Structures are given as C-alpha cells and as structure tokens.
Amino acid sequence: MPIPDLARVGAFLEEVACEHMLPFWRRLAPGDVTSKATVADPGDLVTTVDLAVERRLTEGLRALLPGSAVVGEEAAHADPRSLDALGGDGWIWIVDPLDGTRNFVEGNDRFGIMAALVRASEARAAWIHLPARRQTFFAEQGAGAFLNGARFSAEPAAGAGAPAGTIYARYMPSELRATVEARARGRLQEASDAGCSCIEYTRVARGDKDFCVYYRLLPWDHAPGALILREANGVAEHLDGTRYAPTSANQVTIVARSRDIADRVRRALSAGAGA
C-alpha cells in the first residue's frame, strides 16, 4: 500500500481547522463544552469541536490512504480497545483532533491538531498544525523537520547553565513524583508550561525551550511531536535511554532540544540513584 502525498495531508489538516475549528474559537456556547473526567484526569474536557474535527479527520485520512485505520483520542476514550491497532503491521493514523482543549475553551492560542502516520509501531510522518498561529510543522522519517515548508532544526543550548524546561509530574505515582521533583530542584530550571503537547514539542524542537519531562504517554499526545523533534535533531527517549515509541508504556520520558540537554536532564533526575 503506497503512502499518500504527504503534502496533501498537511493541507487537509489546515482545511479542517479552517472549517471546523477556527469558527468556534472564542465563540463556544456553554453547551459546547462537557466533562470527560476520569479518576486519572478529573479536569478533562471535550467540546463539540473535538468531536467534529475527529470525525472529519477520520473520514479524510482514510480516504487519503485506503485500507488504513485511525486511532483518535475521542474514539479511544469511548473504546480503549481501538489502541490495540497500534501493535499491528498496517498503516495507522494517530490523531489528536484538538490538543489543548482547555486552552481553546479559555480563548488563548495554545491549541492545535496533531497527526502521525505509523507502521510497525514506528512513526513514519507527523504533522502539528497550530491554526491560531498559522504554523504547520511536518516531519518525515529520515527527511528532516519543516515549518510552513521551510526546513529547520533546534539549535544546541548555549552555555553550561541548568537546562530550563517543564516537568509534567501530575500523572506520576506519588512516590515517583516526589523523587523526580526533589532531584530536579536546584539542578533544572523551571520554564513556563503551555499545558499542551502541540506547543511544548514545537517549542523544544525550535529551541525556544530546553526540555520537557513527561510520564503519561498517550500516543496522540507524543507520537507526532516526538518524530518532529527527532527530525529537528532533538531527542525523545525514556529515562533509561530507550527511544520513545507510539506503543511506549507510561514512564519518565525526556524530550529535549539536543543530545547534550537530554543527557544533562537524565543525570539530574538520576542523581543519587546510582546512574
């Protein structure tokens, strides 16, 4: 099965955002927002926009690559068994129809659409479209990372100061969270957090932020950004040094603008642990 024209995918994401997302930005009615709270995430929200965008993406991406399957955030929330497809050999689209839903609801511009084309548990292409910022990031495995069609790469951090980034510790088990936060204190600097992966991965990939540390690894949150970051010469790997994959289980995971930053973050979080 040949992969689709990848440029068409990016254009399709932009089209969907223009038709189904931007008209509702800062114009949501109270009934457009509901809770999809779980024990793990009691503040989780979903909007009519999330659902409409995912339906349109599912239809359109399947049409662009006949025979492919789609694993979308909202469909997986309704039926977690859909995640089983990620372990197969066929072409799979991983889709986050509206990353940064809370930001979207609050009316700020930190939101986007994310998609990755995956086969054999490995991302082969990825897109992040930030509609309010008119930015589309794209990467193809082995071919580099692009922003609005221009190739880019993350610049190595200057100087030897403590790396600045965000540790998303809220989903870590309490004992692990306490350990990670204690080890980071005094060794890593805090930077402002965007509250969504589409912004964080692109900030790191462009060198606007040194790193992020994650624990919860929902594939739609990380598969697109991880490929874009790697193709921009960044790093996405677990604390033990193994590469992040769309099928990775929850664990401490470092995303960094360079190998040097990733290693420095790892040393900081492993301090006193014999590593």
Side-chain angles (χ1 to χ4, degrees):
M1 180 192 302
I3 65 173
D5 179 346
L6 299 180
R8 288 183 61 196
V9 178
F12 173 60
L13 298 186
E14 294 171 8
E15 175 188 311
V16 171
C18 185
E19 294 180 2
H20 298 279
M21 185 177 289
L22 285 177
F24 299 94
W25 183 40
R26 299 174 175 168
R27 296 182 180 88
L28 288 171
D32 292 331
V33 184
T34 57
S35 170
K36 60 170 187 177
T38 62
V39 173
D41 194 353
D44 204 8
L45 299 177
V46 66
T47 71
T48 54
V49 174
D50 296 74
L51 299 171
V53 169
E54 184 164 314
R55 284 194 297 269
R56 182 70 185 93
L57 291 175
T58 298
E59 295 168 359
L61 293 174
R62 283 176 175 163
L64 286 171
L65 184 55
S68 63
V70 177
V71 175
E73 177 181 5
E74 304 311 329
H77 178 77
D79 184 3
R81 292 174 299 179
S82 66
L83 289 165
D84 295 343
L86 295 177
D89 294 330
W91 289 105
I92 308 291
W93 300 96
I94 297 176
V95 170
D96 191 335
L98 176 47
D99 187 49
T101 297
R102 184 170 295 278
N103 292 336
F104 185 85
V105 170
E106 292 175 355
N108 69 57
D109 69 354
R110 300 189 299 273
F111 64 89
I113 296 176
M114 301 199 294
L117 181 57
V118 175
R119 190 170 193 179
S121 302
E122 190 167 0
R124 308 302 178 91
W127 298 260
I128 295 178
H129 176 52
L130 307 179
R133 299 185 178 187
R134 298 183 179 180
Q135 295 177 332
T136 300
F137 295 81
F138 163 70
E140 183 178 3
Q141 187 182 54
F146 300 82
L147 169 56
N148 291 347
R151 188 165 184 164
F152 76 96
S153 61
E155 296 295 327
T166 301
I167 297 176
Y168 285 94
R170 59 182 284 198
Y171 297 110
M172 295 179 185
S174 57
E175 185 175 343
L176 176 62
R177 176 175 182 169
T179 299
V180 166
E181 291 178 337
R183 289 175 179 169
R185 199 171 298 121
R187 298 182 177 95
L188 302 172
Q189 298 182 65
E190 284 189 46
S192 61
D193 72 82
C196 61
S197 297
C198 65
I199 300 297
E200 294 290 40
Y201 270 97
T202 54
R203 287 179 69 188
V204 174
R206 296 182 73 188
D208 296 331
K209 185 171 187 173
D210 290 335
F211 74 91
C212 289
V213 174
Y214 293 99
Y215 179 80
R216 188 174 73 161
L217 300 180
L218 298 173
W220 42 84
D221 283 338
H222 299 281
L227 180 60
I228 291 169
L229 177 60
R230 285 181 184 141
E231 291 297 324
N233 297 324
V235 175
E237 63 187 26
H238 307 309
L239 189 61
D240 64 5
T242 58
R243 282 168 55 95
Y244 163 81
T247 51
S248 290
N250 290 347
Q251 59 193 292
V252 177
T253 301
I254 300 165
V255 302
R257 64 192 288 184
S258 67
R259 165 52 55 194
D260 174 64
I261 292 294
D263 290 344
R264 288 162 67 186
V265 172
R266 177 176 295 102
R267 287 195 296 269
L269 298 186
S270 301

